[in-house]
Amino acid sequence: MSTTSSESFVRGQRLMLIFLVAMCIVVACVLSTETTMPTQNMSNKERAELREEARDMFYHAYNAYMQNAYPADELMPLSCKGRYRGVTPSRGDMDDILGNFSMTLVDTLDTLVLLGDFTEFDHAVKLVIRDVQFDSDIIVSVFETNIRMVGGLLSAHILAEYLQKHADTMHWYKGELLEMSRELGYRLLPAFNTSTGIPHARVNLRLGMKDPMLKKSRETCTACAGTILLEFAALSRLTGDPIFEVRAHAAMDALWKLRHRGSDLMGTVLNVHSGDWVRRDSGVGAGIDSYYEYLFKSYVLLGDDKYLARFNRHYNAVMKYVSEGPMLLDVLMHRPHAKSKNFMDSLLAFWPGLQVLSGDLKPAVQTHEMLYQVMQMHTFIPEAFTVDFQIHWGQHPLRPEFIESTYFLYRATGDHHYLQVGKKALKTLQQHAKVSCGYAAVNDVRTGKHEDRMDSFVLSETIKYLFLLFSDPQDLIINVDEFVFTTEAHLLPLSIAQLGNATFSFRQTDEHNVLDFMRTCPSSNRLFPEKVRKPLRNFITGSCPRTTAGKRLSALDFQASNADHLRAVYDMGITMVSVGDRSQGKVRLFHSFYNAKSHEEGEMGLQFMQEMLELTKMQSINQLAQLQAVAYATDENSQDWIALMAGPSHFSPELTGDQFVEGDVILAKPLRACDESLENAEEAKGKVLVAERGDCTFVSKARLAQKVGAAALIVCDNVPGSSGETQPMFAMSGDGKDDVLIPVVFMYSMEFGKLSAVMQRRKQPLRVRVMQMVEFKRWQLAKEQRQNQTASVAQKPEKEL
Ligand code: DMJ
């Protein structure tokens, strides 16, 4: 019996399923190319050659920096000189990394030890002690200074002492680097004086928070505030001064309290004073990444179970809402079933590495594989790429994350596939990023154009992980398994936990009780084999009897890409029937008690169907509320209007209620609108400007449109055939600033194609209204009602007669 064949249900559901099925198809296509290429084993000889090539890469970049840039923070590889804060032309917020404290050298010290170059390490440490100072009137990023500088100094200090003991060298060293990191730590501490304990994003190295420029400081990102503990705990335990660790734990505790209690997810940007979320997008990439990493690694380094408990809660939430097959797509923390972006950023490439460390190998392999395909498709992994693997933002600053994950996957599996992947990454750097003076970032992977930029992480992470990948652990001077790699790949020894009692004592908190596994006796999280088995429990689906007791798959949790879910749904008596063209993924659901495995499961099936119906209604209401419209009259003299769907943006004012912006449409010249100005700037004044997606960010197009006086901006997609009918609408992201005051909307190609056809047909310029879709519908409805009333009034006398 078909208990629900309601068309509206199927229509609403279609969007979600089309999206999921479309993604599965795309991924399947992309992955299938790989299955035709068997992994070749790599000979020891080739591996050793690659290790030596990685070493050469290091020296090529390191020498270029030391000879042409030191004591600057960074090397500018194209102009072959140093980048200094306040001297080299400013790049805005990006320069908050720089503190005129020789960052690249400090960040690189421990790589020298891993390479076994004790002579250069000795020399470099002496230079740092002699030259580096922190008493500068400079505002720096707390996060970056911590991970690169404090982490770099601490790791170098630990290794210097290690070499004294094990390599009979550096006997002159008396802990100077530790003292320097303590001093720098103190200079960061004023940032922690907030009502929540969550640190400000930036601090003045000399004036603390007293710098007038920091008066208005209140927003920070989750990763910025949550990536302090490893370094600060090490600092406290090595110096015996508890203040650092106390402050970092407090920040972590405050962040934990801000998680969404329903979804267990975190947002991206928050207010450090009120603890309010400013951006609720939730993924594992930019803005959040290393917060999750530090929860897990704090547990590993410090042995405090509460961080594992927190990590597990977030991890489950990420795997439930953010993970879609091999992809990781941002959702809204408070509305986790709605995807908030249709693109992924390259920072999330660290996630498979973290999954390896936490023991969840299978999804790590899958996501890494997807990223590898993206890399092969575009030479490098672009800063952001869409769900159909097109470029969203084409820059590539030679980031380490993908190589880092490759390294951890190789260490965990021994699979030579990962050596081949590493080789590809290494050769790509050699071919496309190497310049005579170091390695240059790629400005756009489509053109391969270079940028005058070599971030310090190229030496401290990218090349370090390549070198480690091709090295045998026994050939290294230190046993890397006895260390935790910080997010900047600095080495902190596990033995730090043993220094814990003198400086910090852990409190047991209630949150432990919320975890099921904590309640078991003996606590299963302490049993190593259990941890190993746990990820494999669902590996072969259906091999163990599924008990239904108390656990019912809810429509909210259902994922069409999860084989277990499909089976559970089937057992509940629900069948899915494809309708129409299979490739469109349209599915109709039927429920029947007769088909259910048991009466109990049949009942569950009924509940599942009802939930689906509710969910669908909610989703379409939410989607409609966010949807924008570009409306126009069907012809010059008509009162009939039609609307084409458009997506909103995070950075422009929202048009709500009966607000709209009206104007003639005009195409930007040049169409991408990425230049300083427009050729038709005069003409664009007061008009609704159209710019094509690509070459620069959405927000920079918006700023240009605003600059020339346009009334609104429509960004049209550059992917032929894309349409809001077949893919989810999304909101365009900005850069955190709120200086765009004109409405900005996004149109997929098919919808824009219709608009463009009308523009060409009309003799006069086409006048459009940019407004909320829901308001357009209301407007239309009201108009229809008025027309009906007029018609019935007009007809009345006739009828009465
Ligand atoms: C590094 O500075 C760190 O890995 C950080 O956590 C995020 N990304 C950059 C490199 O991409």
Side-chain angles (χ1 to χ4, degrees):
M1 181 182 62
S2 159
T3 54
T4 173
S5 55
S6 144
E7 279 303 315
S8 69
F9 165 64
V10 174
R11 254 198 315 274
Q13 191 54 22
R14 194 178 291 162
L15 207 73
M16 186 169 82
L17 288 170
I18 287 172
F19 180 52
L20 294 172
V21 174
M23 287 196 305
C24 294
I25 290 169
V26 173
V27 172
C29 294
V30 170
L31 296 184
S32 65
T33 55
E34 178 57 16
T35 54
T36 59
M37 294 191 323
T39 299
Q40 281 180 353
N41 271 352
M42 186 176 280
S43 66
N44 288 341
K45 182 170 166 284
E46 187 179 10
R47 191 171 169 211
E49 281 164 8
L50 288 165
R51 184 191 62 218
E52 291 316 303
E53 192 168 353
R55 190 192 300 278
D56 292 346
M57 289 169 77
F58 174 86
Y59 285 111
H60 178 69
Y62 178 77
N63 292 336
Y65 165 75
M66 291 304 282
Q67 286 159 18
N68 307 292
Y70 182 81
D73 283 323
E74 282 178 0
L75 167 72
M76 292 164 54
L78 302 183
S79 31
C80 205
K81 57 182 192 194
R83 185 186 298 286
Y84 290 91
R85 187 79 180 269
V87 178
T88 323
S90 166
R91 299 172 297 175
D93 291 353
M94 228 176 98
D95 281 349
D96 289 347
I97 292 174
L98 314 174
N100 288 347
F101 36 35
S102 306
M103 188 176 61
T104 297
L105 184 60
V106 173
D107 215 6
T108 303
L109 292 173
D110 60 7
T111 313
L112 287 166
V113 178
L114 277 178
L115 293 171
D117 192 346
F118 306 149
T119 316
E120 183 58 25
F121 178 66
D122 186 298
H123 170 64
V125 170
K126 281 182 180 143
L127 285 181
V128 169
I129 295 170
R130 188 193 71 189
D131 299 341
V132 176
Q133 61 87 32
F134 305 121
D135 187 28
S136 311
D137 184 4
I138 291 179
I139 293 177
V140 293
S141 151
V142 174
F143 160 77
E144 298 287 1
T145 307
N146 177 56
I147 65 168
R148 301 189 198 212
M149 293 295 297
V150 177
L153 291 166
L154 282 172
S155 172
H157 161 74
I158 288 156
L159 293 176
E161 290 198 333
Y162 185 92
L163 293 186
Q164 286 181 330
K165 260 196 223 137
H166 297 95
D168 195 22
T169 178
M170 290 193 75
H171 294 296
W172 58 267
Y173 178 73
K174 300 276 176 301
E176 293 87 340
L177 297 176
L178 181 61
E179 272 319 300
M180 291 176 76
S181 56
R182 186 214 296 255
E183 187 201 329
L184 189 52
Y186 276 122
R187 290 178 187 274
L188 298 182
L189 280 182
F192 289 74
N193 292 333
T194 60
S195 37
T196 57
I198 297 172
H200 285 277
R202 301 180 307 151
V203 69
N204 183 304
L205 283 175
R206 182 180 295 159
L207 308 173
M209 294 308 292
K210 294 203 179 105
D211 186 317
M213 303 274 284
L214 294 173
K215 248 202 180 118
K216 288 190 177 161
S217 158
R218 49 183 57 89
E219 287 178 12
T220 194
C221 73
T222 307
C224 306
T227 314
I228 306 285
L229 183 53
L230 292 186
E231 291 81 2
F232 271 32
L235 195 49
S236 280
R237 293 176 187 220
L238 292 167
T239 59
D241 187 341
I243 184 71
F244 306 106
E245 186 166 350
V246 169
R247 289 305 182 93
H249 280 296
M252 287 302 246
D253 289 345
L255 285 173
W256 171 242
K257 285 193 190 128
L258 297 183
R259 74 194 181 283
H260 190 273
R261 301 298 165 117
S263 69
D264 277 335
L265 291 173
M266 301 294 279
T268 326
V269 178
L270 59 102
N271 182 314
V272 296
H273 294 305
S274 64
D276 290 337
W277 286 105
V278 177
R279 291 195 54 168
R280 288 158 192 258
D281 300 71
S282 188
V284 297
I288 304 191
D289 47 3
S290 43
Y291 163 67
Y292 292 144
E293 181 184 357
Y294 270 37
L295 281 176
F296 186 76
K297 290 184 177 174
S298 294
Y299 162 69
V300 176
L301 186 72
L302 309 175
D304 184 349
D305 288 344
K306 93 176 167 191
Y307 289 113
L308 178 63
R310 290 177 186 179
F311 172 79
N312 282 334
R313 281 277 283 271
H314 287 310
Y315 185 78
N316 291 339
V318 166
M319 295 314 282
K320 183 169 169 183
Y321 300 116
V322 177
S323 154
E324 283 297 351
M327 292 188 270
L328 295 150
L329 293 168
D330 280 21
V331 297
L332 296 171
M333 63 185 290
H334 58 295
R335 218 186 289 147
H337 294 281
K339 298 288 173 209
S340 68
K341 287 180 189 156
N342 76 337
F343 62 87
M344 290 165 264
D345 61 64
S346 67
L347 287 169
L348 63 75
F350 88 103
W351 185 251
L354 184 59
Q355 288 183 308
V356 169
L357 294 177
S358 72
D360 203 2
L361 214 56
K362 192 180 168 193
V365 169
Q366 291 170 333
T367 297
H368 180 273
E369 200 55 26
M370 182 240 345
L371 291 164
Y372 184 40
Q373 303 303 321
V374 175
M375 180 189 130
Q376 287 173 298
M377 208 164 163
H378 300 296
T379 312
F380 292 103
I381 298 178
E383 278 295 74
F385 52 93
T386 60
V387 288
D388 49 356
F389 309 116
Q390 300 305 309
I391 291 166
H392 182 77
W393 180 14
Q395 200 186 28
H396 177 78
L398 317 184
R399 287 196 189 281
E401 284 78 4
F402 177 68
I403 299 170
E404 174 186 348
S405 285
T406 307
Y407 165 70
F408 284 113
L409 273 160
Y410 178 66
R411 290 294 314 277
T413 63
D415 187 337
H416 281 220
H417 170 69
Y418 298 108
L419 294 178
Q420 301 292 357
V421 172
K423 175 180 169 185
K424 176 96 184 157
L426 180 148
K427 297 288 179 194
T428 306
L429 284 169
Q430 294 288 64
Q431 199 184 335
H432 300 281
K434 189 173 182 182
V435 292
S436 56
C437 189
Y439 288 84
V442 177
N443 180 267
D444 191 324
V445 298
R446 284 164 288 210
T447 59
K449 201 178 141 215
H450 285 145
E451 231 181 278
D452 204 3
R453 161 176 180 194
M454 186 180 92
D455 290 76
S456 68
F457 54 67
V458 175
L459 282 165
S460 76
E461 293 191 77
T462 310
I463 298 180
K464 182 190 277 165
Y465 280 122
L466 277 175
F467 180 79
L468 286 173
L469 174 67
F470 298 118
S471 301
D472 256 329
Q474 61 268 25
D475 296 339
L476 297 168
I477 166 77
I478 55 170
N479 179 1
V480 283
D481 296 339
E482 289 172 3
F483 292 80
V484 169
F485 286 88
T486 69
T487 193
E488 190 73 2
H490 292 309
L491 296 143
L492 297 177
L494 290 167
S495 56
I496 272 183
Q498 291 155 14
L499 305 172
N501 294 343
T503 58
F504 194 81
S505 61
F506 294 122
R507 268 181 305 119
Q508 284 291 320
T509 56
D510 288 348
E511 75 203 46
H512 288 224
N513 303 331
V514 300
L515 280 178
D516 286 348
F517 70 76
M518 290 286 187
R519 292 204 200 98
T520 60
C521 184
S523 172
S524 57
N525 75 318
R526 293 186 187 281
L527 301 177
F528 176 69
E530 166 65 6
K531 277 193 188 152
V532 178
R533 282 195 303 272
K534 206 174 162 196
L536 299 175
R537 212 172 276 156
N538 296 324
F539 196 71
I540 303 168
T541 55
S543 64
C544 51
R546 284 185 314 283
T547 55
T548 54
K551 281 262 173 200
R552 181 180 66 80
L553 176 65
S554 75
L556 265 179
D557 295 338
F558 176 72
Q559 290 176 351
S561 54
N562 183 319
D564 281 347
H565 288 186
L566 292 176
R567 186 185 278 266
V569 161
Y570 181 75
D571 289 350
M572 291 192 283
I574 296 168
T575 32
M576 294 191 181
V577 179
S578 295
V579 282
D581 179 359
R582 264 177 181 276
S583 66
Q584 295 213 311
K586 295 177 189 169
V587 179
R588 186 173 292 180
L589 300 188
F590 294 90
H591 174 252
S592 151
F593 271 101
Y594 180 74
N595 287 339
K597 222 171 147 191
S598 66
H599 181 77
E600 192 197 1
E601 280 168 284
E603 292 283 354
M604 289 178 178
L606 203 55
Q607 280 183 48
F608 182 91
M609 295 297 268
Q610 277 159 358
E611 283 173 1
M612 266 296 184
L613 200 55
E614 281 307 306
L615 193 63
T616 310
K617 272 192 221 150
M618 269 167 53
Q619 276 179 346
S620 37
I621 289 168
N622 284 335
Q623 275 162 3
L624 195 61
Q626 288 174 14
L627 214 57
Q628 307 291 296
V630 175
Y632 55 91
T634 48
D635 67 60
E636 268 106 331
N637 308 313
S638 172
Q639 291 301 309
D640 290 338
W641 284 63
I642 49 176
L644 296 166
M645 76 164 100
S649 87
H650 283 302
F651 53 81
S652 62
E654 204 186 342
L655 293 169
T656 52
D658 54 4
Q659 294 170 337
F660 63 86
V661 168
E662 192 170 291
D664 294 346
V665 200
I666 176 175
L667 301 184
K669 280 189 202 157
L671 191 56
R672 292 260 163 128
C674 291
D675 298 349
E676 286 282 286
S677 189
L678 295 178
E679 286 162 29
N680 55 346
E682 261 310 300
E683 220 189 317
K685 257 191 206 131
K687 307 270 170 62
V688 175
L689 188 73
V690 175
E692 192 186 43
R693 179 183 193 174
D695 290 350
C696 60
T697 57
F698 292 126
V699 71
S700 55
K701 292 176 200 289
R703 288 195 182 111
L704 181 57
Q706 178 163 290
K707 191 170 123 189
V708 301
L713 174 69
I714 298 172
V715 180
C716 61
D717 200 7
N718 57 355
V719 180
S722 65
S723 165
E725 297 286 343
T726 50
Q727 49 205 110
M729 193 44 90
F730 67 95
M732 291 175 286
S733 299
D735 53 11
K737 295 193 189 122
D738 51 7
D739 55 337
V740 176
L741 305 175
I742 56 170
V744 182
V745 297
F746 175 83
M747 288 180 90
Y748 279 117
S749 303
M750 298 292 270
E751 284 80 33
F752 180 70
K754 287 183 192 160
L755 190 74
S756 154
V758 182
M759 283 166 72
Q760 281 162 23
R761 262 202 322 270
R762 297 271 169 99
K763 292 193 191 77
Q764 300 296 321
L766 175 65
R767 203 159 179 78
V768 297
R769 272 185 191 187
V770 180
M771 61 197 302
Q772 248 190 325
M773 182 59 97
V774 82
E775 201 47 41
F776 176 81
K777 301 250 178 217
R778 227 175 264 147
W779 180 45
Q780 290 297 92
L781 214 64
K783 214 162 67 181
E784 272 169 32
Q785 277 167 357
R786 272 199 309 276
Q787 279 165 357
N788 289 345
Q789 275 165 10
T790 329
S792 62
V793 168
Q795 282 170 5
K796 242 184 180 173
E798 270 180 21
K799 275 193 183 162
E800 276 171 4
L801 278 174

